[in-house]
Amino acid sequence: MTHTTPSGGSARHQAVAAVFLLAVFVSTIGDEISAIAVLVELAGSGRSLLVAALLTLQLAPGVLLAPLAGQLLDRRDAGRVLVLVSLLQAGALLMMSAWPVTPVLLAGTAVVGTGAAVATPAAIVLMPILAGEAFPARANGLLEAGRAASTLLGPVLGGVLVAAWGLRTALLADALSFAVAAGAIALARVRRPVRGDGRPWWQGATDGVRFLSRQSGLRAVLPVVVLTVSAASTVNVAMVFFVTGPLDSTGTVLGVLTAAWGAGALVGAGVAARREWAVPERAVQTGAIALGLAVLVFGAVAVTGVCVVMAVCAGAANAYQNIAMRTCVQLRTPEELRGRAHAAAGSVVNAFFLVGYALGGLSAADQPRATFLVAGLVTALAAGTGLALSAARARRAPEAPTGTGRVDTAC
């Protein structure tokens, strides 16, 4: 049985939600600062596999630990867990700042990624409670907007910090951001208290996966999602090499393009937050089509001004798709399973991000432009095909009887 903090429009709940969003913003902006710094540091080696390894270490824990992370969040207060995990991440970043050599940077990234495997679903579970359960898309939109705002500002601040004071200062700033976030969440007393069911801790760890596998809408959209994620994530590896290669630019342009992606994500989050989808998987596929087309034009034109515009478009489409996915899980999952369900959904997506990172690591350094073109084309075609097939199935399906629930209509 799960007991949640009451939602509503009281001044107290609005204040707690605002503090929580600010804490997420502060910690995420710190992440962006250190990510840009470490990425540029490792890219200086000229080895795309090293960049791919860095990105893999950020996501692999979320894939491998998802069942345990979800079980933890459904059996322990997610607010307190988030505080403890933030402090752990702050400690890892202090270590990276003290000894900024490649092995320590990679090991510290793995620790921070392990914390994110718990922190990310914790934030997703907590935000709808604080913002109001009746508006899941709005709550997810607010959370995505906070993340997008940090993506907009973080790379610029990271570039300034690295240029002026070096890698150590950027990592120290990220450590401070996690410590501040932990303090803010603790002082605001963000809570999702739960009561265990008496079963051993390992039982029920896969309940989220089993529940989501029974949702017909998710089964229909998941193949498109994993294919588009695999293709589009190669862009994350290729971006730094695209900037230094076809665009013949420096880390400053890399920061501008990353910030432009964040600006677009703010737009996408604003649009999605005003929607309450009856069939959210259609929004997931629509966002994927737009993302693929933006990446395709990005690679085809390879002019800085056009790339900035396409980065804005891609960011908007990416945020719209992310919010639709979270809303799918939020709407269709019972409260007591949401920690495990969100962790399971994140695990599937992150697993195929890793596939894309591996593919990008093989070719991005030598063929960054081709990587963009292939990623954009595959993403747009896969999502467009999925949307067409979904529409065809909807036309062939008999009208559902009145009174059926929403569980099988969307993911």
Side-chain angles (χ1 to χ4, degrees):
M1 180 68 69
T2 303
H3 302 279
T4 62
T5 302
S7 58
S10 69
R12 160 68 181 163
H13 288 105
Q14 289 177 358
V16 171
V19 169
F20 182 76
L21 281 172
L22 181 61
V24 171
F25 172 74
V26 169
S27 64
T28 309
I29 201 170
D31 271 350
E32 293 294 338
I33 289 172
S34 66
I36 245 341
V38 176
L39 182 63
V40 171
E41 176 79 8
L42 296 184
S45 68
R47 291 183 292 171
S48 59
L49 283 175
L50 195 56
V51 174
L54 176 71
L55 297 173
T56 298
L57 288 173
Q58 292 172 344
L59 288 181
V63 177
L64 300 176
L65 301 178
L68 298 180
Q71 181 76 335
L72 176 65
L73 294 174
D74 283 335
R75 293 196 170 207
R76 295 291 184 271
D77 183 347
R80 291 178 178 174
V81 169
L82 189 54
V83 170
L84 293 175
V85 167
S86 297
L87 292 175
L88 173 66
Q89 291 171 303
L93 286 156
L94 285 174
M95 177 188 69
M96 295 166 69
S97 178
W99 298 284
V101 295
T102 298
V104 175
L105 292 177
L106 293 176
T109 298
V111 174
V112 174
T114 298
V118 178
T120 299
I124 295 172
V125 165
L126 287 167
M127 191 59 216
I129 296 170
L130 298 175
E133 291 278 3
F135 305 100
R138 185 178 303 172
N140 291 321
L142 288 171
L143 183 61
E144 189 72 18
R147 294 180 183 277
S150 65
T151 304
L152 177 60
L153 297 176
V156 177
L157 292 177
V160 171
L161 284 175
V162 171
W165 292 290
L167 175 63
R168 286 185 172 182
T169 301
L171 293 170
L172 188 61
D174 194 11
L176 180 61
S177 75
F178 275 110
V180 169
I185 295 170
L187 290 174
R189 300 174 66 184
V190 177
R191 293 288 181 265
R192 182 182 180 252
V194 296
R195 185 174 65 210
D197 55 13
R199 294 188 298 171
W201 67 269
W202 63 85
Q203 291 185 6
T206 59
D207 285 350
V209 175
R210 289 199 300 268
F211 177 82
L212 293 179
S213 68
R214 294 195 298 266
Q215 308 309 303
S216 62
L218 179 60
R219 290 199 305 270
V221 76
L222 195 56
V224 174
V225 171
V226 298
L227 186 57
T228 58
V229 164
S230 299
S233 60
T234 61
V235 169
N236 290 355
V237 181
M239 180 67 80
V240 63
F241 302 106
F242 189 90
V243 169
T244 57
L247 292 185
D248 193 22
S249 297
T250 64
T252 301
V253 172
L254 176 62
V256 170
L257 289 172
T258 308
W261 194 292
L266 276 175
V267 176
V271 173
R274 302 176 66 87
R275 301 292 306 275
E276 293 299 329
W277 296 291
V279 187
E281 76 270 19
R282 292 178 187 168
V284 175
Q285 293 167 328
T286 300
I289 293 172
L291 174 61
L293 291 176
V295 170
L296 183 61
V297 174
F298 194 117
V301 178
V303 173
T304 299
V306 175
C307 289
V308 170
V309 174
M310 289 301 102
V312 173
C313 295
N318 194 199
Y320 190 85
Q321 181 185 24
N322 288 342
I323 293 166
M325 280 291 294
R326 291 173 191 162
T327 302
C328 286
V329 178
Q330 183 73 25
L331 287 176
R332 313 312 179 198
T333 309
E335 167 59 28
E336 64 271 13
L337 277 174
R338 283 184 188 165
R340 282 163 284 182
H342 281 296
S347 175
V348 172
V349 171
N350 286 340
F352 285 91
F353 264 113
L354 295 179
V355 172
Y357 289 161
L359 294 174
L362 295 174
S363 62
D366 297 326
Q367 299 291 335
R369 191 169 187 176
T371 301
F372 269 74
L373 293 174
V374 172
L377 185 62
V378 169
T379 299
L381 287 178
T385 301
L387 191 61
L389 291 175
S390 296
R393 282 194 298 267
R395 286 194 299 268
R396 291 195 303 267
E399 185 176 350
T402 303
T404 54
R406 296 186 300 178
V407 170
D408 289 332
T409 62
C411 58

